[in-house]
Amino acid sequence: MGWQFEPVGIIHSCFAEKFAIPRQPLLAPAATATLELLPPYDQPEALEGLEGVSHLWLLFVFHAAGHGSKHLRVRPPRLGGNQRIGVFASRATHRPNPIGQSVVRLDGIVDGRLQLSGVDLLDGTPVLDIKPYVPYADAVEGAVNPLAPAPPAPIAVHWQPEALLQAEAEQQRLQQPLVTLVEQCLAQDPKPAYQQPDASREYGVRFWDVNVRWHYPAPNQICVLGVSRA
Ligand code: SAM
């Protein structure tokens, strides 16, 4: 028994690295991407009927997470990295078939490309399928998940004045909401939950072609130290 899937499209997103990508979609509404459809799906017919649809389900390959994992239990970073749960109780990227699913906002269609926001997808992610979000079926009233009862509480993000000026200049050049993106992503606290922040330690990540550096002056506080062209 076996199936072989070919991608229908490729994601071009703000996330040049896995680090600092929110752990679920819609946590950073400023995280944008375009979805390029691949032949033969790069034709207007394939998108007929999407007018007015606000959100999509994307099924995609965790292409930067290896070829799948046979482990029955995983240690989700959200739970501090030392508690194990069953792989099927988690959204971990290392799973039997490295397939992810995300609800993203559809902002428009320009030149046959889907303009998306709220994504949690690495640049270059292959997309296996696209389906419209169906509110009456997909938003389940009264649904519960004790392991993930609520979105993580955001932490405070401050800027060194010079870093903010640099971010504003890069934002102007990119014509993308870089300042808000940095604030929304860092507010999710990208560092592994088991790591005790040490004010002298610097962290960094790349959004588009821009490197962003920060540190933790206090446990639940981030200060952006610098923004520069990669
Ligand atoms: N919403 C999806 C799901 O539930 O299947 C993804 C959840 S997974 C916990 C989110 C993480 O996947 C992100 O923080 C990012 O680091 C990672 N990720 C995103 N795109 C990826 C890709 N193409 N390959 C490997 N990891 C990826």
PDB file of all heavy atoms in Angstrom, residues 100-126:
ATOM      1  N   GLY A 100       1.898  18.659   7.555  1.00  0.00           N
ATOM      2  CA  GLY A 100       1.363  19.688   8.433  1.00  0.00           C
ATOM      3  C   GLY A 100       0.062  20.234   7.864  1.00  0.00           C
ATOM      4  O   GLY A 100      -0.257  20.040   6.677  1.00  0.00           O
ATOM      5  N   GLN A 101      -0.676  20.889   8.731  1.00  0.00           N
ATOM      6  CA  GLN A 101      -1.935  21.513   8.310  1.00  0.00           C
ATOM      7  C   GLN A 101      -2.051  22.851   9.011  1.00  0.00           C
ATOM      8  O   GLN A 101      -1.795  22.948  10.212  1.00  0.00           O
ATOM      9  CB  GLN A 101      -3.108  20.637   8.695  1.00  0.00           C
ATOM     10  CG  GLN A 101      -3.112  20.348  10.180  1.00  0.00           C
ATOM     11  CD  GLN A 101      -4.280  19.513  10.622  1.00  0.00           C
ATOM     12  OE1 GLN A 101      -4.192  18.298  10.580  1.00  0.00           O
ATOM     13  NE2 GLN A 101      -5.328  20.169  11.026  1.00  0.00           N
ATOM     14  N   SER A 102      -2.427  23.872   8.266  1.00  0.00           N
ATOM     15  CA  SER A 102      -2.564  25.206   8.843  1.00  0.00           C
ATOM     16  C   SER A 102      -3.740  25.916   8.221  1.00  0.00           C
ATOM     17  O   SER A 102      -3.950  25.843   7.003  1.00  0.00           O
ATOM     18  CB  SER A 102      -1.305  26.043   8.570  1.00  0.00           C
ATOM     19  OG  SER A 102      -0.208  25.508   9.258  1.00  0.00           O
ATOM     20  N   VAL A 103      -4.469  26.622   9.067  1.00  0.00           N
ATOM     21  CA  VAL A 103      -5.507  27.537   8.570  1.00  0.00           C
ATOM     22  C   VAL A 103      -4.840  28.889   8.395  1.00  0.00           C
ATOM     23  O   VAL A 103      -4.234  29.398   9.342  1.00  0.00           O
ATOM     24  CB  VAL A 103      -6.648  27.700   9.586  1.00  0.00           C
ATOM     25  CG1 VAL A 103      -7.672  28.714   9.084  1.00  0.00           C
ATOM     26  CG2 VAL A 103      -7.318  26.379   9.854  1.00  0.00           C
ATOM     27  N   VAL A 104      -4.925  29.461   7.214  1.00  0.00           N
ATOM     28  CA  VAL A 104      -4.301  30.762   6.974  1.00  0.00           C
ATOM     29  C   VAL A 104      -5.320  31.706   6.357  1.00  0.00           C
ATOM     30  O   VAL A 104      -6.330  31.273   5.805  1.00  0.00           O
ATOM     31  CB  VAL A 104      -3.070  30.628   6.043  1.00  0.00           C
ATOM     32  CG1 VAL A 104      -2.008  29.756   6.684  1.00  0.00           C
ATOM     33  CG2 VAL A 104      -3.465  30.089   4.672  1.00  0.00           C
ATOM     34  N   ARG A 105      -5.016  32.993   6.458  1.00  0.00           N
ATOM     35  CA  ARG A 105      -5.931  33.986   5.906  1.00  0.00           C
ATOM     36  C   ARG A 105      -5.628  34.175   4.419  1.00  0.00           C
ATOM     37  O   ARG A 105      -4.465  34.279   4.026  1.00  0.00           O
ATOM     38  CB  ARG A 105      -5.748  35.304   6.664  1.00  0.00           C
ATOM     39  CG  ARG A 105      -6.795  36.296   6.353  1.00  0.00           C
ATOM     40  CD  ARG A 105      -6.722  37.567   7.158  1.00  0.00           C
ATOM     41  NE  ARG A 105      -7.499  38.538   6.437  1.00  0.00           N
ATOM     42  CZ  ARG A 105      -8.830  38.551   6.433  1.00  0.00           C
ATOM     43  NH1 ARG A 105      -9.497  37.685   7.165  1.00  0.00           N
ATOM     44  NH2 ARG A 105      -9.465  39.425   5.679  1.00  0.00           N
ATOM     45  N   LEU A 106      -6.667  34.200   3.592  1.00  0.00           N
ATOM     46  CA  LEU A 106      -6.494  34.478   2.166  1.00  0.00           C
ATOM     47  C   LEU A 106      -6.789  35.959   1.950  1.00  0.00           C
ATOM     48  O   LEU A 106      -7.936  36.402   2.047  1.00  0.00           O
ATOM     49  CB  LEU A 106      -7.461  33.609   1.336  1.00  0.00           C
ATOM     50  CG  LEU A 106      -7.492  33.908  -0.167  1.00  0.00           C
ATOM     51  CD1 LEU A 106      -6.128  33.685  -0.820  1.00  0.00           C
ATOM     52  CD2 LEU A 106      -8.555  33.044  -0.865  1.00  0.00           C
ATOM     53  N   ASP A 107      -5.725  36.743   1.669  1.00  0.00           N
ATOM     54  CA  ASP A 107      -5.901  38.191   1.511  1.00  0.00           C
ATOM     55  C   ASP A 107      -6.233  38.570   0.079  1.00  0.00           C
ATOM     56  O   ASP A 107      -6.727  39.670  -0.158  1.00  0.00           O
ATOM     57  CB  ASP A 107      -4.625  38.922   1.962  1.00  0.00           C
ATOM     58  CG  ASP A 107      -4.374  38.745   3.457  1.00  0.00           C
ATOM     59  OD1 ASP A 107      -5.350  38.792   4.226  1.00  0.00           O
ATOM     60  OD2 ASP A 107      -3.217  38.538   3.850  1.00  0.00           O
ATOM     61  N   GLY A 108      -5.928  37.718  -0.860  1.00  0.00           N
ATOM     62  CA  GLY A 108      -6.242  38.038  -2.247  1.00  0.00           C
ATOM     63  C   GLY A 108      -5.508  37.111  -3.186  1.00  0.00           C
ATOM     64  O   GLY A 108      -4.737  36.247  -2.758  1.00  0.00           O
ATOM     65  N   ILE A 109      -5.789  37.310  -4.466  1.00  0.00           N
ATOM     66  CA  ILE A 109      -5.116  36.525  -5.501  1.00  0.00           C
ATOM     67  C   ILE A 109      -4.558  37.523  -6.505  1.00  0.00           C
ATOM     68  O   ILE A 109      -5.307  38.320  -7.064  1.00  0.00           O
ATOM     69  CB  ILE A 109      -6.104  35.552  -6.184  1.00  0.00           C
ATOM     70  CG1 ILE A 109      -6.698  34.591  -5.141  1.00  0.00           C
ATOM     71  CG2 ILE A 109      -5.426  34.784  -7.313  1.00  0.00           C
ATOM     72  CD1 ILE A 109      -7.811  33.695  -5.646  1.00  0.00           C
ATOM     73  N   VAL A 110      -3.255  37.551  -6.656  1.00  0.00           N
ATOM     74  CA  VAL A 110      -2.621  38.514  -7.554  1.00  0.00           C
ATOM     75  C   VAL A 110      -1.763  37.739  -8.549  1.00  0.00           C
ATOM     76  O   VAL A 110      -0.867  36.984  -8.153  1.00  0.00           O
ATOM     77  CB  VAL A 110      -1.750  39.522  -6.758  1.00  0.00           C
ATOM     78  CG1 VAL A 110      -1.047  40.491  -7.706  1.00  0.00           C
ATOM     79  CG2 VAL A 110      -2.574  40.280  -5.730  1.00  0.00           C
ATOM     80  N   ASP A 111      -2.049  37.929  -9.831  1.00  0.00           N
ATOM     81  CA  ASP A 111      -1.318  37.235 -10.905  1.00  0.00           C
ATOM     82  C   ASP A 111      -1.270  35.723 -10.652  1.00  0.00           C
ATOM     83  O   ASP A 111      -0.209  35.095 -10.797  1.00  0.00           O
ATOM     84  CB  ASP A 111       0.119  37.779 -11.019  1.00  0.00           C
ATOM     85  CG  ASP A 111       0.128  39.247 -11.415  1.00  0.00           C
ATOM     86  OD1 ASP A 111      -0.851  39.685 -12.052  1.00  0.00           O
ATOM     87  OD2 ASP A 111       1.085  39.951 -11.055  1.00  0.00           O
ATOM     88  N   GLY A 112      -2.385  35.172 -10.222  1.00  0.00           N
ATOM     89  CA  GLY A 112      -2.468  33.722 -10.036  1.00  0.00           C
ATOM     90  C   GLY A 112      -1.827  33.220  -8.759  1.00  0.00           C
ATOM     91  O   GLY A 112      -1.828  32.022  -8.494  1.00  0.00           O
ATOM     92  N   ARG A 113      -1.249  34.138  -7.956  1.00  0.00           N
ATOM     93  CA  ARG A 113      -0.625  33.716  -6.691  1.00  0.00           C
ATOM     94  C   ARG A 113      -1.546  34.050  -5.536  1.00  0.00           C
ATOM     95  O   ARG A 113      -2.118  35.154  -5.498  1.00  0.00           O
ATOM     96  CB  ARG A 113       0.698  34.440  -6.477  1.00  0.00           C
ATOM     97  CG  ARG A 113       1.777  33.941  -7.408  1.00  0.00           C
ATOM     98  CD  ARG A 113       3.060  34.684  -7.158  1.00  0.00           C
ATOM     99  NE  ARG A 113       4.139  34.029  -7.866  1.00  0.00           N
ATOM    100  CZ  ARG A 113       5.362  33.853  -7.374  1.00  0.00           C
ATOM    101  NH1 ARG A 113       5.667  34.283  -6.176  1.00  0.00           N
ATOM    102  NH2 ARG A 113       6.287  33.231  -8.072  1.00  0.00           N
ATOM    103  N   LEU A 114      -1.652  33.136  -4.580  1.00  0.00           N
ATOM    104  CA  LEU A 114      -2.488  33.378  -3.402  1.00  0.00           C
ATOM    105  C   LEU A 114      -1.688  34.205  -2.406  1.00  0.00           C
ATOM    106  O   LEU A 114      -0.566  33.828  -2.041  1.00  0.00           O
ATOM    107  CB  LEU A 114      -2.908  32.051  -2.774  1.00  0.00           C
ATOM    108  CG  LEU A 114      -3.635  31.078  -3.714  1.00  0.00           C
ATOM    109  CD1 LEU A 114      -3.957  29.770  -3.011  1.00  0.00           C
ATOM    110  CD2 LEU A 114      -4.903  31.699  -4.230  1.00  0.00           C
ATOM    111  N   GLN A 115      -2.258  35.322  -1.984  1.00  0.00           N
ATOM    112  CA  GLN A 115      -1.618  36.190  -0.990  1.00  0.00           C
ATOM    113  C   GLN A 115      -2.163  35.776   0.371  1.00  0.00           C
ATOM    114  O   GLN A 115      -3.378  35.865   0.600  1.00  0.00           O
ATOM    115  CB  GLN A 115      -1.953  37.664  -1.243  1.00  0.00           C
ATOM    116  CG  GLN A 115      -1.735  38.108  -2.675  1.00  0.00           C
ATOM    117  CD  GLN A 115      -0.261  38.138  -3.052  1.00  0.00           C
ATOM    118  OE1 GLN A 115       0.559  38.663  -2.302  1.00  0.00           O
ATOM    119  NE2 GLN A 115       0.081  37.557  -4.196  1.00  0.00           N
ATOM    120  N   LEU A 116      -1.265  35.331   1.262  1.00  0.00           N
ATOM    121  CA  LEU A 116      -1.693  34.745   2.535  1.00  0.00           C
ATOM    122  C   LEU A 116      -1.115  35.531   3.706  1.00  0.00           C
ATOM    123  O   LEU A 116      -0.060  36.161   3.587  1.00  0.00           O
ATOM    124  CB  LEU A 116      -1.204  33.303   2.636  1.00  0.00           C
ATOM    125  CG  LEU A 116      -1.510  32.390   1.447  1.00  0.00           C
ATOM    126  CD1 LEU A 116      -0.806  31.043   1.612  1.00  0.00           C
ATOM    127  CD2 LEU A 116      -3.019  32.182   1.297  1.00  0.00           C
ATOM    128  N   SER A 117      -1.787  35.447   4.854  1.00  0.00           N
ATOM    129  CA  SER A 117      -1.183  35.995   6.077  1.00  0.00           C
ATOM    130  C   SER A 117      -1.552  35.100   7.260  1.00  0.00           C
ATOM    131  O   SER A 117      -2.436  34.244   7.165  1.00  0.00           O
ATOM    132  CB  SER A 117      -1.607  37.447   6.308  1.00  0.00           C
ATOM    133  OG  SER A 117      -2.992  37.548   6.388  1.00  0.00           O
ATOM    134  N   GLY A 118      -0.825  35.330   8.371  1.00  0.00           N
ATOM    135  CA  GLY A 118      -1.023  34.483   9.549  1.00  0.00           C
ATOM    136  C   GLY A 118      -0.367  33.124   9.384  1.00  0.00           C
ATOM    137  O   GLY A 118      -0.713  32.170  10.082  1.00  0.00           O
ATOM    138  N   VAL A 119       0.623  33.032   8.488  1.00  0.00           N
ATOM    139  CA  VAL A 119       1.205  31.710   8.198  1.00  0.00           C
ATOM    140  C   VAL A 119       2.210  31.276   9.266  1.00  0.00           C
ATOM    141  O   VAL A 119       2.807  32.114   9.953  1.00  0.00           O
ATOM    142  CB  VAL A 119       1.899  31.697   6.809  1.00  0.00           C
ATOM    143  CG1 VAL A 119       0.931  32.081   5.699  1.00  0.00           C
ATOM    144  CG2 VAL A 119       3.121  32.605   6.791  1.00  0.00           C
ATOM    145  N   ASP A 120       2.382  29.972   9.393  1.00  0.00           N
ATOM    146  CA  ASP A 120       3.438  29.403  10.257  1.00  0.00           C
ATOM    147  C   ASP A 120       4.319  28.490   9.400  1.00  0.00           C
ATOM    148  O   ASP A 120       4.703  27.413   9.836  1.00  0.00           O
ATOM    149  CB  ASP A 120       2.828  28.642  11.452  1.00  0.00           C
ATOM    150  CG  ASP A 120       1.916  27.485  11.034  1.00  0.00           C
ATOM    151  OD1 ASP A 120       1.544  27.399   9.846  1.00  0.00           O
ATOM    152  OD2 ASP A 120       1.568  26.661  11.906  1.00  0.00           O
ATOM    153  N   LEU A 121       4.621  28.942   8.178  1.00  0.00           N
ATOM    154  CA  LEU A 121       5.266  28.081   7.189  1.00  0.00           C
ATOM    155  C   LEU A 121       6.623  28.626   6.762  1.00  0.00           C
ATOM    156  O   LEU A 121       6.743  29.804   6.389  1.00  0.00           O
ATOM    157  CB  LEU A 121       4.372  27.984   5.940  1.00  0.00           C
ATOM    158  CG  LEU A 121       2.933  27.542   6.218  1.00  0.00           C
ATOM    159  CD1 LEU A 121       2.050  27.815   5.031  1.00  0.00           C
ATOM    160  CD2 LEU A 121       2.936  26.074   6.584  1.00  0.00           C
ATOM    161  N   LEU A 122       7.582  27.745   6.774  1.00  0.00           N
ATOM    162  CA  LEU A 122       8.935  28.082   6.331  1.00  0.00           C
ATOM    163  C   LEU A 122       8.926  28.397   4.831  1.00  0.00           C
ATOM    164  O   LEU A 122       8.187  27.768   4.060  1.00  0.00           O
ATOM    165  CB  LEU A 122       9.823  26.861   6.614  1.00  0.00           C
ATOM    166  CG  LEU A 122      11.293  26.953   6.303  1.00  0.00           C
ATOM    167  CD1 LEU A 122      11.957  28.016   7.180  1.00  0.00           C
ATOM    168  CD2 LEU A 122      11.949  25.589   6.547  1.00  0.00           C
ATOM    169  N   ASP A 123       9.768  29.336   4.434  1.00  0.00           N
ATOM    170  CA  ASP A 123       9.937  29.641   3.008  1.00  0.00           C
ATOM    171  C   ASP A 123      10.307  28.352   2.263  1.00  0.00           C
ATOM    172  O   ASP A 123      11.146  27.583   2.737  1.00  0.00           O
ATOM    173  CB  ASP A 123      11.059  30.681   2.876  1.00  0.00           C
ATOM    174  CG  ASP A 123      11.179  31.230   1.476  1.00  0.00           C
ATOM    175  OD1 ASP A 123      10.135  31.494   0.845  1.00  0.00           O
ATOM    176  OD2 ASP A 123      12.320  31.385   1.013  1.00  0.00           O
ATOM    177  N   GLY A 124       9.657  28.125   1.130  1.00  0.00           N
ATOM    178  CA  GLY A 124       9.971  26.933   0.326  1.00  0.00           C
ATOM    179  C   GLY A 124       9.113  25.723   0.657  1.00  0.00           C
ATOM    180  O   GLY A 124       9.298  24.655   0.058  1.00  0.00           O
ATOM    181  N   THR A 125       8.186  25.852   1.597  1.00  0.00           N
ATOM    182  CA  THR A 125       7.355  24.700   1.995  1.00  0.00           C
ATOM    183  C   THR A 125       6.510  24.204   0.805  1.00  0.00           C
ATOM    184  O   THR A 125       5.778  24.987   0.194  1.00  0.00           O
ATOM    185  CB  THR A 125       6.420  25.099   3.159  1.00  0.00           C
ATOM    186  OG1 THR A 125       7.218  25.416   4.298  1.00  0.00           O
ATOM    187  CG2 THR A 125       5.452  23.992   3.517  1.00  0.00           C
ATOM    188  N   PRO A 126       6.583  22.917   0.496  1.00  0.00           N
ATOM    189  CA  PRO A 126       5.747  22.373  -0.573  1.00  0.00           C
ATOM    190  C   PRO A 126       4.312  22.148  -0.070  1.00  0.00           C
ATOM    191  O   PRO A 126       4.113  21.570   1.007  1.00  0.00           O
ATOM    192  CB  PRO A 126       6.397  21.017  -0.893  1.00  0.00           C
ATOM    193  CG  PRO A 126       7.666  20.964  -0.092  1.00  0.00           C
ATOM    194  CD  PRO A 126       7.533  21.919   1.040  1.00  0.00           C
TER     195      PRO A 126
END
